[in-house]
């Protein structure tokens, strides 16, 4: 066997968070444990039938859609996206130059880093964060400057804490609200105005990862960054079908913004991939043009699950709070468990009870002391999960 080393950028990265979680999960299955998986944000509910029907019909009857697709996306798909953005946010975009189709927003974010960053370039990344925000930077040879997301600040970064010297060096800033993993939302829109002002002042590309814009609860409605003056001068916004329409395995999304800011990613992708399959994009058209009741129904399911878990965990002494969006809850560990560390707690929890959660430290240094629970199993299983966590809590207190 030859002895050849991977790239230095890849070698620097630790094992991917969910690879580690999946390994622990596999061990639990091997021991015949009844696993309740609240780890990865992998929707348990089916893709709405009208979207599936459109895909099946297209694959069966429109053979031209089996050919190589247009790399930037079908004109019909891009036009549908701009119409949806207009209806949903009141944002007007040019479908020809201001929308780019993605093979999922995770791919798009990683490729954006590769299309913009040179070795050593500095990127402002929230901590904790969705892992591709910092892993994409590392794989591109960039450097991460962490913006702490602290509970006392409602899990929002404080731009005034970023040193002037750092701001002047920064090339990209990532923001993600509604937020993964903390489930935080932005309730004061002055935050977005300040972010735009900050990035314009220091010539920073502002990335809004808006994958959870539609999964919100009560009267809260998440905005697009392009609803705020000046955003088009500094920002790109990413959207995903994965969570909104339970299409996680379909790998379909988009990024939008000014042509000048979008073009480097479009050029990069033209060398690297052929884009999302045409039949998938036409299913996306059906999703965006179809009845949106399925989204409201989905949000109500997640809200019901969230409240059940939060109230149950609070009774057990875990630091859980109700949220206004996403499919997650961000749970502070009781002090006696926090001392043990979130990774150790997550490992013991699955080994001793079969309940899988994501350790907070996997999302960044400031995620330590927390775990993320995904609301992605049948409603009846949350009762079982709480019973098991209760037994785990009692046993841990008596150690």
């Amino acid at each position: 066997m030859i002895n050849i080393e991977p790239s230095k950028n890849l070698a620097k990265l630790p094992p991917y968070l969910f690879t580690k979680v999946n390994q622990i999960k596999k061990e639990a299955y091997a021991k015949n444990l009844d696993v309740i998986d609240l780890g990865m944000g992998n929707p348990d509910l089916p893709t709405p039938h009208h979207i599936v029907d459109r895909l099946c019909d297209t694959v069966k009857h429109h053979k031209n859609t089996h050919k190589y697709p247009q790399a930037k996306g079908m004109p019909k798909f891009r036009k549908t996206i701009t119409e949806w953005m207009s209806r949903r946010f009141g944002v007007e975009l040019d479908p020809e130059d201001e929308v780019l189709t993605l093979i999922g927003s995770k791919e798009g974010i990683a490729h954006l880093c590769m299309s913009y960053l040179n070795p050593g370039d500095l990127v402002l990344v929230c901590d904790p964060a969705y892992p591709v925000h910092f892993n994409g930077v590392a794989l591109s040879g960039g450097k991460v400057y962490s913006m702490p997301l602290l509970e006392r600040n409602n899990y929002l970064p404080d731009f005034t804490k970023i040193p002037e010297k750092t701001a002047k060096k920064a090339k990209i800033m990532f923001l993600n609200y509604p937020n993964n993993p903390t489930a935080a939302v932005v309730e004061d829109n002055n935050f977005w105005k300040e972010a735009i002002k900050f990035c314009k002042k220091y010539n920073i590309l502002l990335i809004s990862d808006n994958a959870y814009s539609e999964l919100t609860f009560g009267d809260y409605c998440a905005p697009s960054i392009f609803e705020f003056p000046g955003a088009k001068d500094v920002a790109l916004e990413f959207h995903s079908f994965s969570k909104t329409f339970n299409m996680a395995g379909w790998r379909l999304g988009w990024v939008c913004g000014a042509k000048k800011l979008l073009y480097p990613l479009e050029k990069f992708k033209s060398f690297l991939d052929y884009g999302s399959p045409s039949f998938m994009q036409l299913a996306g058209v059906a999703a965006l043009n179809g009845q949106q009741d399925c989204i409201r129904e989905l949000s109500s399911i997640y809200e019901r699950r969230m409240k059940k878990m939060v109230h149950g965990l609070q009774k057990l002494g875990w630091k859980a709070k109700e949220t206004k969006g996403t499919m997650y809850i961000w749970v502070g560990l009781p002090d006696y468990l926090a001392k043990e560390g979130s990774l150790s707690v997550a490992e013991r929890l699955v080994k001793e009870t079969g309940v899988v959660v994501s350790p907070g430290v996997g999302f960044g240094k400031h995620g330590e002391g927390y775990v993320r629970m995904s609301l992605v199993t049948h409603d009846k299983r949350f009762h079982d999960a709480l019973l098991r966590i209760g037994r785990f809590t009692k046993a841990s207190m008596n150690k």
Side-chain angles (χ1 to χ4, degrees), residues 33 59 75 80 106 113 132 157 171 174 212 219 301 331 342 367 384:
L33 281 175
V59 170
T80 300
K106 179 181 178 182
C113 292
V132 77
K171 195 168 188 177
F174 282 106
Y212 299 91
D219 59 359
I301 290 170
V331 185
S342 60
D384 295 337

Side-chain angles (χ1 to χ4, degrees), residues 196-208:
I196 293 165
K197 181 180 177 182
F198 182 91
C199 289
K200 188 172 288 191
K201 177 180 178 180
Y202 293 107
N203 196 41
I204 297 170
L205 175 61
L206 174 55
I207 302 301
S208 170

Side-chain angles (χ1 to χ4, degrees), residues 163-179:
E164 180 91 2
K165 184 177 179 181
T166 299
K168 287 180 177 179
K169 288 182 178 179
K171 195 168 188 177
I172 298 174
M173 175 193 286
F174 282 106
L175 295 177
N176 165 220
Y177 294 95
N179 183 260

Side-chain angles (χ1 to χ4, degrees), residues 366-398:
H366 291 281
E368 186 54 271
Y370 296 82
V371 295
R372 191 195 72 179
M373 297 183 184
S374 301
L375 305 170
V376 291
T377 190
H378 192 279
D379 285 42
K380 294 179 181 178
R381 299 287 275 168
F382 291 100
H383 177 74
D384 295 337
L386 287 168
L387 288 176
R388 297 184 196 184
I389 294 170
R391 290 194 293 268
F392 175 86
T393 301
K394 186 175 181 180
S396 298
M397 288 177 66
N398 295 331

Side-chain angles (χ1 to χ4, degrees), residues 16-19 40 102-114 130-137 139 174 180 209 211-212 238-243 248 251-255 265 269:
Y16 185 50
L17 167 65
F18 294 114
T19 302
M40 193 173 181
L102 302 174
I103 311 171
S105 58
K106 179 181 178 182
E107 164 267 330
I109 289 169
H111 286 171
L112 176 101
C113 292
M114 295 177 190
Y130 179 45
V132 77
H133 292 173
F134 49 82
N135 288 337
V137 174
L139 287 169
F174 282 106
N180 176 14
D209 181 357
Y212 299 91
F238 285 76
H239 286 266
S240 170
F241 287 80
S242 296
K243 307 307 193 295
R251 309 315 305 137
L252 185 66
W254 76 85
V255 57
L265 177 56
K269 285 175 61 62

Side-chain angles (χ1 to χ4, degrees), residues 120-136:
D121 280 348
L122 193 63
V123 180
L124 307 176
V125 181
C126 294
D127 181 350
Y130 179 45
V132 77
H133 292 173
F134 49 82
N135 288 337

